[in-house]
Amino acid sequence: MWDHEIRAMASSHAIIAASMLMATVIPAVALPGFSVYGTHLLWLYLVSGAVTAVSVAVFWLLGITPPTKKHTLGYKLSRFFRSCVYFFLSCLFFHTVVVLYGAPLIVSALETFSLAVLLTSLTTLRCLCVLGPNVQAWIRVFSRHGAMSVWDTCLQITVACTLVGAWVGAFPIPLDWDRPWQVWPVSCSLGALFGYLSGLVAAPAWIHYHRKQLIYKCK
Amino acid sequence: MKIRSSVFASFILIFEVIGIALFLRGFFPVPVRSSLSSKNKLSDLPAEPLTGRSPNSSRLPQPLFKRVVIMLVDAMREDFVFGPNGRMYMPYTRHVVERGSSQSFVAKARPPTVTMPRIKALTTGSIPGFIDVVMNLNSPALLEDNLIWQAKTAGKRMVFYGDDTWVRLFPKHFMEYDGTTSFFVSDYTEVDNNVTRHLDSTLKRDDWDILILHYLGLDHIGHISGPHSSLIQPKLLEMDDILKKIHSALISKEAEGSLPYLLVLCGDHGMSETGSHGGSSEPEVNTPLVLISPAFKRKVGMEKPGVVEQVDLTSTLALGLGLPISQNNVGRVIPSVLEETSLRDQLRFLHLNGHQLSCLLKDSMPDYEKEIGFEQFRVAEKAHGSWMKLYLEGNTSEVLSNMGKKVLKQYLEALAAMSSALSKQLGKYDMYSMITGMVFVFQLLLVLLLAMPEALSGAAAVDLPVLSALLSLPFYLLCLLLASVHVLVCTSAESSCYFCSLSWGLVFAAVAFSSAMFCILVSIATRRIPVGPKFRGTLPAPAQPLFIIKAPLGSSGGGGDWSLSELDVLLLAGTVGHTLSLAASSFVEEEHQTWYFLLNTLCLIVFQDVCRKYFREQSASEDEEEHILPSKDYHPSTYPKAEICSEKWLALATPLFTLVCCRLLRSLNQTGVQWAHLPDIGHWLNSSEHKMVLSLLSAFCLVLIYLLVQRRCSWVSKVALALGLLGVYSYRAAVGNVLFPWQHSSRTMSKGTVEARFVYVFVLGILFTGTKDLLRSQIITADAKLKSRGLWEIYSGLVLLVSLLFRAHNLPVLCCCLLIQNLMAQFIWKKLHYDAAQTTIMHYWFGQAFFYFQGNSNNIATVDISVGFVGLESYVEAPAIFLTALSTYAGPLLWACHLVCFLSSHRSPVAVGHGCYCLALLRSVPAAAYIVLVTVLRYHLFIWSVFSPKLLYESMHLLLTAGVCLFFNIMEQSHGSSKS
């Protein structure tokens, strides 16, 4: 059963990674004047959009989202709205954190917000897909020894990798090399994306090699 | 021998300070100085060389120029005049350069390209070494032999308008002067108008010989918006008009028969592509030098300007005015300026310059006779003598002029060789002293690292095998070996070396100390190995300390495996990462970014820990409850006790509040290099329109400081503190930074000496009460409460002193510092049970970040030397240095003091020892790593502009930390005595 889950996880991760790749390659071919550095914000939105759409689709198809108690349309709609609100709040949260880290408050607010959107679509969206709009569950998963399934562990790993990637991405900003990728927020968003990609690879691999040690206490 | 951790740490730090001092002595080249402290006099000048007859003709040739106008434009780049845009920027100057009777050159300035050293270079002709710049940071008058002094002694009347650095350097030298301060960088029109307004009347008069104008506007524009801004062109056009005005005035005044005038246009340094200066990049170093005088030949077209050294102007001017060349000058006269004079005069000028250089060479080099330049000069002098003999005999043949030209060439070669030998002397490192210092520091660091498990153990005592090391055979063998190495190095060294010049007793003490340390090191290492046998084979030696550190640091994990909490990982990675980042010049320049970044992450991780503590406990009890994100306003009704509940929310809010504070403080003072030009709150507050806001803000801050500090003091100190803080405000009002509500117009500013002394009295009073309480708690009653009160009183005395020294706009920094300390101590460090090591590292990080929040940077220029004059009528060295150091390092010191206070009230009795040890380790690791980096990078382009200032900051910080550790020591001592 676990092998099955790990395989599902690996293939879904492959699909998500492929969608990110497509979001980079297709516009580069189709749109004239498109480049990762030059039209960075456009690229950021494309990638976030692609990741959002594909993850929602994949996780809906896989059916990982915890079963809801009620099946009425109204309840589903309210869940959907709550998810949207959470998504937006999470964007604001990331924006605030990035500003606290020293991003200019007014001058490049759009860039900062784009980075926040990207981080949200890489981390919070996944939480919403896997756990639903249930903060209690989120707190449980992100506290020590809180994972209760393979998907929880996977979520921990990808989110940590993404955030650490974005964190490390800020290192080259003070260097005086004057490269196009040092411009705010290029290095951070690239760091976040590379962190996310490595998380996508690392999560199934890590779970695969530690499947003997992983014991989840059931609810 | 068993000694306590704190004693051990202070001992190591003190010896590290000695090691670093030795390293610094080797690293900073000793400035080339003539041994005589007197100045060159006209009567001392050498006679004109002449073989055969008695040398009686010691006359100087007639001066070349009568009046000299020096127009110095700050931050003038060479391409502003000679570049492709020069015709657009400075049309008249360009016309004179191309068609007029002028000489133009590119003058190379030596780094540090900062105004004050450049002025010194221009007037003394010497190249001020880096250490010279630091040492003379606040020495007002220039005492070295210089051109201005020579001119004054010769009875020249001088007029000066411009940067008041000149007025401070040469007090009472000028017949008439008007200094403008370059304090307000945002002003670039007033500063220049203040200079130009005197020009018309001065140019009409005849009562001066030398006129010096120093224009600052261009430099200010560079700092604001860089060399390509739209403000540059109007400013340069303005400068061009002024030059035209001066030139036409000089032409109209020129009288037949008298000596011609000379108009000099030069820059003190250039401007980098970002508009700053101080480094050694091409645009910063290359300045234009245009000499305009009817004595020169009229040009026929644009020629490529020749390259000269900036200091060459000094000797040229001195000779041109008929003055003796100043003693420490390393420049050589520009030969093309002399072209129009007779051959005899030319030779005589070169001879004078050569004689001065050879005297300097004799003084500054032990083996000067081996120098090629010196030999060449001797030969040239002899040839000059025989030429003179022929000349005086009346020989006028072709032979004579050919021979003269040959002598001239010989002289020029000799001058070039001597000048370059002297300049090279400035760039030499004393490697032996550097390596010795480095070896000391590293031995001490390794001992410190290897002693970690014992020092951080429950006993907090280190067992140093001193006696067994001193009695062992290897110790004596090592002593012999090192002594022989020393003799070998010192006898074979070709250049002078500081360590070799030390007396034998000192050297032997150093050798014995070093070998004893080595023996101790080996014996501790062998003791360590059985402790961790599983790491021995697999790990390289430097990785071992990481394994050892984890045992005491990991609060949750066991001894053996890698179960560090996120906080421990961050603290370790941050410390190591910061040390490594010092290798890159950008990271040194922007070190504040590193600390802000690490501090933010620290706060977020602490926040996570707090969340975990409160939410896990809660969710363990009630699983059904649905919760909302902790950062939102939400009041759980489930908790029975409102007290615990409010405590929880305060604890949750503390890291977030700290984050917000840090973000605000960060935009208070922009420091560093790349983003230093961005507008910040500090500038906004300091502008005169916002004086009201600044007054309100500082009053509010002072009240808050009082409220935060007074809680733990005795009532006497409370009163003293309140009066002292009132005194601080009235001092600021007297100086003119803030306003009293009843005082609306800006009064005449005073120095505020009375008010500052009033505050000093209270500072001393509070410190005295604190010390008295401490002594009483130790000797008479052994009362822990009394002792902690004494400690807090000393701390509040320090706070009062710092609030006096900080500029008014920096008071929020102090305020936030106290606020964060209070909140963190109450809700985080105590409640979350962080151990002494973790708390120390956090304090250290906060201290570092606050160092930069104050507006400091790793550049010497940001040291606020005006602090040294607070409460003093005139410059007194010792208190000025003390106050400057205190205010510069106020952030780290306040946090270290808070650490002492916090740890001594800690539940664990050994916490103070652990804290002291960790502080010593945290300071020694970057300092030791940095001296290695500096040694490796000693030929780096930025070594003088970026790495050396940082080295000085590091050493100063190490010295202060050694002081703080001694204080720790006293605290622990009393703790031990009160326990027994």
Side-chain angles (χ1 to χ4, degrees):
Chain A
M1 179 226 168
W2 276 34
D3 281 345
H4 169 73
E5 271 191 331
I6 292 170
R7 218 168 294 139
M9 186 187 295
S11 46
S12 67
H13 285 183
I15 293 170
I16 294 172
S19 78
M20 283 163 70
L21 196 69
M22 295 313 256
T24 313
V25 171
I26 290 176
V29 177
L31 289 175
F34 177 88
S35 74
V36 172
Y37 301 148
T39 53
H40 186 70
L41 292 189
L42 179 64
W43 179 70
L44 270 192
Y45 288 126
L46 283 176
V47 170
S48 341
V51 170
T52 312
V54 172
S55 342
V56 167
V58 163
F59 285 107
W60 183 64
L61 284 176
L62 279 173
I64 296 158
T65 319
T68 51
K69 288 165 200 159
K70 301 169 213 163
H71 289 279
T72 59
L73 185 68
Y75 186 72
K76 277 186 178 162
L77 270 180
S78 95
R79 262 176 80 90
F80 176 72
F81 277 121
R82 269 185 28 217
S83 303
C84 287
V85 168
Y86 277 25
F87 188 88
F88 184 67
L89 283 181
S90 147
C91 286
L92 285 184
F93 170 75
F94 277 119
H95 187 95
T96 317
V97 169
V98 174
V99 168
L100 286 178
Y101 261 103
L105 185 64
I106 300 158
V107 182
S108 45
L110 182 65
E111 282 86 349
T112 311
F113 194 72
S114 314
L115 179 67
V117 169
L118 179 76
L119 285 174
T120 306
S121 60
L122 296 185
T123 57
T124 315
L125 188 86
R126 215 179 152 85
C127 294
L128 284 172
C129 289
V130 176
L131 303 170
N134 176 2
V135 177
Q136 182 58 32
W138 294 13
I139 291 174
R140 169 182 59 76
V141 169
F142 289 108
S143 47
R144 207 171 281 148
H145 312 300
M148 293 206 302
S149 73
V150 185
W151 291 101
D152 289 357
T153 315
C154 166
L155 190 65
Q156 285 176 346
I157 293 174
T158 44
V159 167
C161 282
T162 313
L163 293 183
V164 169
W167 190 77
V168 170
F171 287 3
I173 297 178
L175 292 171
D176 57 355
W177 296 344
D178 292 331
R179 297 296 153 89
W181 47 265
Q182 281 181 298
V183 179
W184 176 250
V186 180
S187 60
C188 278
S189 50
L190 285 183
L193 278 174
F194 282 121
Y196 184 64
L197 283 177
S198 58
L200 289 185
V201 176
W206 192 85
I207 292 169
H208 180 73
Y209 285 112
H210 289 80
R211 62 185 183 278
K212 296 275 160 23
Q213 287 99 308
L214 282 175
I215 302 152
Y216 296 113
K217 68 168 182 205
C218 286
K219 205 170 182 178
Chain B
M1 198 167 78
K2 243 184 158 49
I3 52 175
R4 286 201 318 279
S5 301
S6 55
V7 179
F8 171 68
S10 339
F11 163 82
I12 295 274
L13 271 182
I14 289 167
F15 280 97
E16 266 179 8
V17 168
I18 296 174
I20 290 218
L22 186 62
F23 177 86
L24 288 181
R25 186 63 179 68
F27 182 75
F28 288 112
V30 195
V32 172
R33 242 334 106 70
S34 159
S35 53
L36 300 165
S37 59
S38 65
K39 292 169 179 167
N40 270 349
K41 291 187 202 106
L42 267 179
S43 54
D44 296 344
L45 284 180
E48 207 166 358
L50 186 56
T51 41
R53 259 183 260 173
S54 58
N56 53 0
S57 149
S58 69
R59 72 163 189 102
L60 274 177
Q62 214 192 0
L64 299 178
F65 311 108
K66 181 165 175 287
R67 291 176 130 193
V68 174
V69 179
I70 299 173
M71 180 174 165
L72 200 157
V73 183
D74 214 290
M76 183 87 147
R77 251 160 73 149
E78 163 264 325
D79 63 333
F80 286 160
V81 181
F82 304 134
N85 282 337
R87 214 177 296 271
M88 204 170 68
Y89 285 152
M90 306 196 75
Y92 183 76
T93 316
R94 192 60 182 262
H95 173 77
V96 172
V97 164
E98 284 174 15
R99 307 268 164 207
S101 52
S102 67
Q103 302 264 0
S104 40
F105 307 95
V106 172
K108 290 223 173 251
R110 289 295 186 102
T113 44
V114 186
T115 301
M116 162 101 98
R118 296 304 10 113
I119 294 176
K120 283 189 182 173
L122 278 171
T123 51
T124 62
S126 67
I127 300 170
F130 183 81
I131 200 75
D132 205 42
V133 177
V134 179
M135 292 301 172
N136 296 318
L137 207 56
N138 42 13
S139 124
L142 183 65
L143 300 172
E144 245 177 273
D145 190 6
N146 60 68
L147 187 68
I148 308 292
W149 185 86
Q150 294 287 0
K152 185 173 177 261
T153 319
K156 304 265 181 205
R157 290 154 302 173
M158 285 173 287
V159 177
F160 171 78
Y161 302 115
D163 187 359
D164 66 347
T165 314
W166 287 77
V167 181
R168 275 183 277 127
L169 280 176
F170 309 106
K172 297 183 188 157
H173 283 61
F174 299 112
M175 178 184 83
E176 196 181 304
Y177 61 85
D178 181 19
T180 52
T181 51
S182 68
F183 187 72
F184 298 108
V185 175
S186 49
D187 161 40
Y188 50 84
T189 43
E190 251 343 91
V191 275
D192 286 354
N193 289 344
N194 279 345
V195 179
T196 313
R197 65 182 173 184
H198 302 286
L199 211 53
D200 283 323
S201 62
T202 313
L203 286 175
K204 272 187 204 124
R205 300 194 325 241
D206 276 324
D207 59 345
W208 51 266
D209 301 302
I210 300 175
L211 171 63
I212 301 172
L213 306 166
H214 188 147
Y215 283 98
L216 285 168
L218 186 64
D219 182 50
H220 290 188
I221 290 178
H223 283 298
I224 298 168
S225 52
H228 303 295
S229 86
S230 54
L231 297 169
I232 292 279
Q233 191 183 7
K235 179 51 77 179
L236 286 174
L237 283 174
E238 182 193 333
M239 293 294 119
D240 194 49
D241 277 344
I242 292 164
L243 187 103
K244 188 175 179 182
K245 186 193 276 177
I246 300 170
H247 194 195
S248 45
L250 286 173
I251 290 173
S252 68
K253 283 270 170 190
E254 201 184 4
E256 273 300 313
S258 75
L259 285 171
Y261 63 84
L262 173 68
L263 172 54
V264 181
L265 171 71
C266 60
D268 57 346
H269 51 76
M271 185 191 289
S272 70
E273 283 304 303
T274 54
S276 65
H277 54 86
S280 51
S281 68
E282 282 284 307
E284 281 166 278
V285 164
N286 289 346
T287 63
L289 172 62
V290 181
L291 306 174
I292 305 167
S293 169
F296 302 138
K297 252 190 288 186
R298 201 164 265 279
K299 290 277 183 63
V300 283
M302 182 69 187
E303 297 160 13
K304 202 173 167 355
V307 176
V308 295
E309 290 279 333
Q310 197 178 34
V311 286
D312 293 350
L313 180 64
T314 321
S315 44
T316 311
L317 277 180
L319 291 174
L321 286 166
L323 304 170
I325 302 177
S326 43
Q327 227 168 20
N328 296 328
N329 164 56
V330 299
R332 54 211 160 96
V333 68
I334 303 171
S336 55
V337 174
L338 309 173
E339 255 168 16
E340 299 295 297
T341 55
S342 72
L343 193 55
R344 181 182 175 180
D345 283 354
Q346 282 188 40
L347 289 180
R348 177 67 175 143
F349 282 131
L350 290 174
H351 173 240
L352 286 173
N353 195 186
H355 178 78
Q356 176 266 328
L357 283 177
S358 69
C359 286
L360 186 60
L361 204 62
K362 264 188 214 168
D363 274 336
S364 58
M365 277 187 206
D367 45 357
Y368 60 91
E369 277 169 345
K370 281 186 209 152
E371 276 300 326
I372 306 164
F374 191 76
E375 202 52 45
Q376 280 174 333
F377 177 68
R378 296 270 290 280
V379 172
E381 205 175 17
K382 260 187 206 138
H384 186 187
S386 37
W387 182 87
M388 275 303 291
K389 193 177 168 199
L390 283 179
Y391 177 83
L392 288 181
E393 278 163 4
N395 196 337
T396 49
S397 66
E398 188 81 358
V399 184
L400 185 73
S401 75
N402 279 345
M403 190 180 158
K405 276 181 191 140
K406 206 179 135 208
V407 177
L408 192 78
K409 221 174 124 199
Q410 279 178 332
Y411 263 137
L412 287 178
E413 278 168 7
L415 285 182
M418 284 195 288
S419 179
S420 77
L422 282 167
S423 315
K424 226 181 266 165
Q425 176 86 350
L426 288 166
K428 248 185 211 162
Y429 298 103
D430 177 359
M431 275 312 274
Y432 183 50
S433 306
M434 280 162 72
I435 288 175
T436 319
M438 215 164 13
V439 168
F440 273 146
V441 172
F442 265 84
Q443 281 182 335
L444 291 162
L445 180 69
L446 279 180
V447 171
L448 197 66
L449 277 174
L450 283 177
M452 185 184 295
E454 289 177 26
L456 290 181
S457 67
V462 181
D463 185 16
L464 281 184
V466 177
L467 210 64
S468 64
L470 284 181
L471 292 176
S472 64
L473 184 63
F475 169 67
Y476 297 103
L477 290 180
L478 260 177
C479 273
L480 277 179
L481 182 73
L482 290 178
S484 56
V485 166
H486 178 76
V487 170
L488 200 70
V489 170
C490 286
T491 46
S492 66
E494 69 271 13
S495 60
S496 64
C497 160
Y498 176 70
F499 196 57
C500 292
S501 65
L502 283 177
S503 77
W504 269 102
L506 277 176
V507 169
F508 185 75
V511 163
F513 176 76
S514 177
S515 19
M517 272 334 253
F518 191 76
C519 291
I520 291 174
L521 197 63
V522 170
S523 68
I524 295 183
T526 48
R527 205 191 321 157
R528 246 351 122 246
I529 285 169
V531 174
K534 54 182 167 177
F535 304 130
R536 193 169 21 161
T538 54
L539 274 171
Q544 267 191 1
L546 279 184
F547 278 88
I548 302 165
I549 198 171
K550 150 195 69 139
L553 268 182
S555 52
S556 59
D561 57 339
W562 273 100
S563 61
L564 298 169
S565 72
E566 285 93 342
L567 185 71
D568 298 328
V569 172
L570 175 73
L571 292 177
L572 271 182
T575 309
V576 174
H578 164 253
T579 308
L580 291 181
S581 80
L582 294 178
S585 62
S586 309
F587 280 130
V588 174
E589 281 173 345
E590 307 286 331
E591 202 194 339
H592 57 288
Q593 304 278 7
T594 315
W595 286 116
Y596 297 166
F597 194 72
L598 287 176
L599 194 69
N600 262 329
T601 315
L602 176 74
C603 287
L604 285 179
I605 288 200
V606 167
F607 179 64
Q608 188 209 14
D609 272 3
V610 180
C611 282
R612 248 184 210 162
K613 178 173 185 253
Y614 288 102
F615 283 99
R616 280 305 279 174
E617 280 172 5
Q618 193 182 347
S619 59
S621 57
E622 306 137 57
D623 235 10
E624 303 298 315
E625 264 278 314
E626 210 179 62
H627 289 275
I628 308 180
L629 271 176
S631 55
K632 272 174 270 170
D633 274 344
Y634 169 66
H635 281 280
S637 52
T638 48
Y639 259 75
K641 287 180 197 163
E643 201 178 307
I644 298 176
C645 175
S646 72
E647 183 197 296
K648 169 184 154 187
W649 290 111
L650 277 171
L652 280 172
T654 301
L656 299 177
F657 174 76
T658 312
L659 277 172
V660 174
C661 268
C662 291
R663 183 65 182 90
L664 287 177
L665 290 182
R666 176 193 186 113
S667 36
L668 185 65
N669 287 308
Q670 286 284 0
T671 78
V673 172
Q674 280 193 50
W675 293 281
H677 59 278
L678 292 180
D680 55 22
I681 303 177
H683 276 110
W684 186 83
L685 284 173
N686 273 329
S687 67
S688 50
E689 307 95 86
H690 303 120
K691 217 172 195 177
M692 206 59 208
V693 185
L694 184 64
S695 312
L696 286 176
L697 184 70
S698 33
F700 173 72
C701 286
L702 289 174
V703 170
L704 203 57
I705 289 170
Y706 175 71
L707 292 179
L708 287 170
V709 174
Q710 50 93 24
R711 289 184 300 143
R712 276 170 280 213
C713 299
S714 62
W715 66 271
V716 181
S717 309
K718 273 182 199 178
V719 173
L721 187 70
L723 287 173
L725 289 172
L726 270 180
V728 170
Y729 193 82
S730 49
Y731 169 73
R732 284 293 155 202
V735 175
N737 291 340
V738 297
L739 292 169
F740 278 123
W742 57 86
Q743 160 202 345
H744 286 292
S745 59
S746 49
R747 284 187 306 167
T748 48
M749 287 178 216
S750 73
K751 284 188 79 181
T753 319
V754 183
E755 287 88 347
R757 286 185 182 164
F758 178 76
V759 181
Y760 283 143
V761 168
F762 287 111
V763 170
L764 289 178
I766 295 175
L767 287 180
F768 175 74
T769 337
T771 324
K772 193 191 72 189
D773 279 352
L774 270 184
L775 284 177
R776 257 182 49 201
S777 78
Q778 266 180 54
I779 299 166
I780 306 168
T781 54
D783 180 8
K785 208 170 162 191
L786 198 63
K787 185 184 149 202
S788 99
R789 200 176 77 186
L791 268 177
W792 282 109
E793 270 164 356
I794 290 184
Y795 176 73
S796 52
L798 193 66
V799 169
L800 181 56
L801 184 56
V802 168
S803 65
L804 174 69
L805 298 181
F806 266 7
R807 298 221 172 165
H809 76 271
N810 268 341
L811 283 175
V813 178
L814 184 61
C815 203
C816 284
C817 169
L818 296 173
L819 206 57
I820 293 174
Q821 282 173 354
N822 266 307
L823 286 174
M824 288 293 247
Q826 208 166 348
F827 297 111
I828 306 290
W829 289 319
K830 271 192 193 136
K831 291 280 155 34
L832 266 74
H833 307 294
Y834 289 131
D835 61 22
Q838 286 169 323
T839 317
T840 310
I841 300 179
M842 286 194 229
H843 270 91
Y844 179 73
W845 285 19
F846 269 107
Q848 287 295 308
F850 271 84
F851 178 74
Y852 294 104
F853 283 144
Q854 275 171 247
N856 286 324
S857 69
N858 282 330
N859 190 338
I860 294 293
T862 50
V863 177
D864 182 12
I865 47 173
S866 65
V867 168
F869 295 89
V870 172
L872 298 175
E873 288 290 356
S874 60
Y875 178 76
V876 191
E877 195 160 349
I881 289 175
F882 171 76
L883 291 177
T884 312
L886 185 72
S887 100
T888 309
Y889 285 93
L893 274 179
L894 280 177
W895 280 91
C897 278
H898 183 265
L899 183 66
V900 182
C901 298
F902 178 75
L903 287 182
S904 61
S905 63
H906 199 268
R907 51 194 185 286
S908 158
V910 289
V912 176
H914 288 178
C916 182
Y917 174 81
C918 285
L919 199 63
L921 190 65
L922 281 173
R923 197 75 281 285
S924 333
V925 168
Y930 194 69
I931 58 173
V932 176
L933 286 175
V934 164
T935 315
V936 173
L937 298 173
R938 65 189 182 282
Y939 296 116
H940 194 278
L941 182 62
F942 295 149
I943 188 75
W944 297 117
S945 56
V946 177
F947 291 109
S948 314
K950 173 68 183 159
L951 182 63
L952 290 176
Y953 273 108
E954 283 286 314
S955 347
M956 192 62 200
H957 197 179
L958 191 72
L959 184 67
L960 284 175
T961 315
V964 169
C965 275
L966 280 178
F967 185 53
F968 262 94
N969 231 322
I970 300 166
M971 283 302 91
E972 218 202 5
Q973 204 102 41
S974 64
H975 203 99
S977 66
S978 67
K979 202 170 53 179
S980 58

